[in-house]
Amino acid sequence: MPRPNLIFAMLCLACAAAMVTLVYWAKTRVSDITAAVPKDETPPSEAPPPAPVPTASPSKDTTPLPRAREAGGTKANGKSPPQSRAAASDGVRHNASKQVFFRHNGIDSRYGRLAFVQLAHSEQPQFIDTLSCETAHVAGGRGICLGARRGVFTTYSATLFDAITFGTLAQFPLKGVPSRSRVSADGKLAALTVFVSGHGYESLDFSTQTLLIDIDSGGIIADVEEFSVSRDGQVFSSKDFNFWGVTFTPDSRHFYATLSTNRQHFLVKGEIAKRTAAVVHDNVECPSLSPDGARIAYKKRFMAGSRVFWQLHILDLKTGKETALAEKRSVDDQLEWLDNDRVLYTLPETESGPSTSTNIWLADADGVGAPKLFLRKAYSPSVVSLP
């Protein structure tokens, strides 16, 4: 082999040897570095992002409610479901020791069911699946539910129930369409009004029946039309008398109600034991006595041509002073006192005309301040103070 070629071949072999040595050293170095890293540790350049810190789920009210099934709690996003809403953001002062019972008026599978909410958790209605009512009222641990059984012929009945277990205490048929119902504050007495003929207080030819009931026995104490009535100390009597809208005094010995005669509407105070009643004030319909027994919340009738409309008022029983509430819409309802300062009442969900679904509204009893939406899809409220 010529000398230049030999020299070139020797240089190539030297370079190859150097390359092999370099590769071997590099592999050994990498192995040493890898061995120095613990098997459960990832090099910082390849570390995953830190795991998110878990947040606590919104707490729920877990207070046991006998035989009352929860209808659904707060959504994950913290917003209230559309079933009901108490106007906390509108200035309602919640009181966790109160419940509001009502007839559910949402157009769904629970339409007509008796339900209630805790004021502190008004977005979580509880449904009483055993009670479907046209109107209802709860007080003193007892309740009354006026219900309907629809078929070829519709029949109506009254159910008296325990408001703790929701078990039935008594049940009996009614002679007409349910209208108003009330339970006394001590839970001993109940009252109901039905339309024997006609279906509304704006008509001229309706006839009512109003009964007082002993809840313990389930027996009827009296038909209020059997009471003797006086006006200005004189006997007051007519064949066209109709009574409705009973509200009991705290002692359960007396009541207030509306007496209608000759197209006039009077507030009367009745004494149950004596079967007597006396006219107290005129143009008062569907009275509701305040918790302190000092005032009556009611609807006052006005006429616009042949059309009847009602405006809400408060009557001071001592002075006779009337205070118009801020609500300017016509309200055909018997009000319920949330406390001594505010009242609840029902209006159709659709203001343009009659609506199967209704909402409960709140107004200040002093006539100041705009009305507030209190509870959606609800009717016939009753406020219960818990121990």
Side-chain angles (χ1 to χ4, degrees):
M1 177 182 294
R3 185 176 179 82
N5 291 342
L6 179 61
I7 295 173
F8 178 78
M10 292 178 65
L11 289 173
C12 288
L13 288 173
C15 289
M19 183 64 70
V20 169
T21 302
L22 180 63
V23 169
Y24 176 79
W25 179 86
K27 287 185 176 180
T28 303
R29 177 63 177 164
V30 170
S31 297
D32 292 342
I33 293 173
T34 304
V37 178
K39 292 183 179 180
D40 61 349
E41 180 177 330
T42 305
S45 61
E46 300 177 7
V53 178
T55 57
S57 300
S59 61
K60 291 185 178 180
D61 181 12
T62 57
T63 304
L65 297 164
R67 294 187 63 182
R69 187 155 55 88
E70 187 173 345
T74 306
K75 291 183 177 179
N77 62 8
K79 295 181 180 179
S80 300
Q83 152 63 30
S84 62
R85 179 181 75 88
S89 61
D90 293 331
V92 173
R93 300 181 298 276
H94 287 314
N95 186 335
S97 64
K98 287 187 177 181
Q99 295 175 331
V100 177
F101 282 79
F102 61 95
R103 179 189 195 256
H104 173 62
N105 266 9
I107 310 304
D108 54 35
S109 61
R110 286 188 168 120
Y111 179 77
R113 297 283 176 82
L114 183 67
F116 66 92
V117 292
Q118 308 278 354
L119 283 190
H121 304 283
S122 59
E123 74 284 356
Q124 299 175 11
Q126 312 287 330
F127 289 89
I128 316 306
D129 289 334
T130 56
L131 291 168
S132 292
C133 314
E134 301 297 297
T135 181
H137 196 261
V138 176
R142 305 291 181 84
I144 183 170
C145 168
L146 308 187
R149 182 181 294 275
R150 292 179 170 84
V152 177
F153 299 100
T154 301
T155 58
Y156 303 98
S157 63
T159 300
L160 305 175
F161 61 90
D162 186 301
I164 306 301
T165 66
F166 303 109
T168 298
L169 302 175
Q171 192 172 51
F172 52 89
L174 299 174
K175 292 183 178 180
V177 180
S179 174
R180 309 296 183 203
S181 59
R182 275 297 189 271
V183 174
S184 62
D186 58 12
K188 294 181 179 180
L189 303 178
L192 65 87
T193 298
V194 299
F195 287 109
V196 177
S197 64
H199 295 84
Y201 297 106
E202 73 279 0
S203 63
L204 300 177
D205 58 351
F206 72 86
S207 176
T208 63
Q209 181 185 49
T210 294
L211 303 176
L212 303 179
I213 303 152
D214 179 87
I215 294 182
D216 285 334
S217 68
I220 296 174
I221 297 173
D223 184 325
V224 178
E225 286 195 19
E226 300 170 354
F227 280 39
S228 299
V229 182
S230 62
R231 183 183 182 188
D232 298 328
Q234 303 296 317
V235 174
F236 187 40
S237 178
S238 176
K239 292 182 179 181
D240 72 342
F241 273 9
N242 279 300
F243 295 85
W244 67 84
V246 167
T247 180
F248 292 102
T249 57
D251 61 12
S252 297
R253 295 187 299 168
H254 301 83
F255 66 89
Y256 292 91
T258 293
L259 164 62
S260 170
T261 178
N262 193 30
R263 301 187 183 182
Q264 295 178 293
H265 304 85
F266 301 99
L267 176 68
V268 296
K269 183 178 183 180
E271 187 170 354
I272 298 173
K274 294 183 178 180
R275 303 295 194 271
T276 60
V279 172
V280 175
H281 203 77
D282 62 352
N283 202 1
V284 172
E285 294 185 56
C286 296
S288 178
L289 186 63
S290 61
D292 60 11
R295 290 156 296 159
I296 291 284
Y298 65 100
K299 61 178 189 177
K300 186 173 184 178
R301 180 179 295 238
F302 295 88
M303 298 295 297
S306 59
R307 185 177 67 89
V308 177
F309 67 97
W310 292 276
Q311 297 286 272
L312 302 182
H313 285 70
I314 303 293
L315 172 67
D316 186 303
L317 291 169
K318 184 176 181 179
T319 66
K321 179 184 176 181
E322 296 181 345
T323 300
L325 300 191
E327 177 59 72
K328 300 306 179 186
R329 292 167 289 185
S330 180
V331 179
D332 181 9
D333 194 22
Q334 185 170 15
L335 290 77
E336 172 78 354
W337 291 80
L338 180 63
D339 49 40
N340 279 311
D341 300 317
R342 297 165 295 172
V343 293
L344 304 175
Y345 53 93
T346 305
L347 281 168
E349 189 173 47
T350 303
E351 296 183 22
S352 58
S355 174
T356 303
S357 185
T358 57
N359 298 326
I360 294 175
W361 287 76
L362 173 79
D364 294 331
D366 60 5
V368 178
K372 304 174 182 66
L373 181 61
F374 182 78
L375 201 62
R376 294 186 185 276
K377 312 294 185 184
Y379 173 73
S380 189
S382 49
V383 178
V384 176
S385 295
L386 302 176

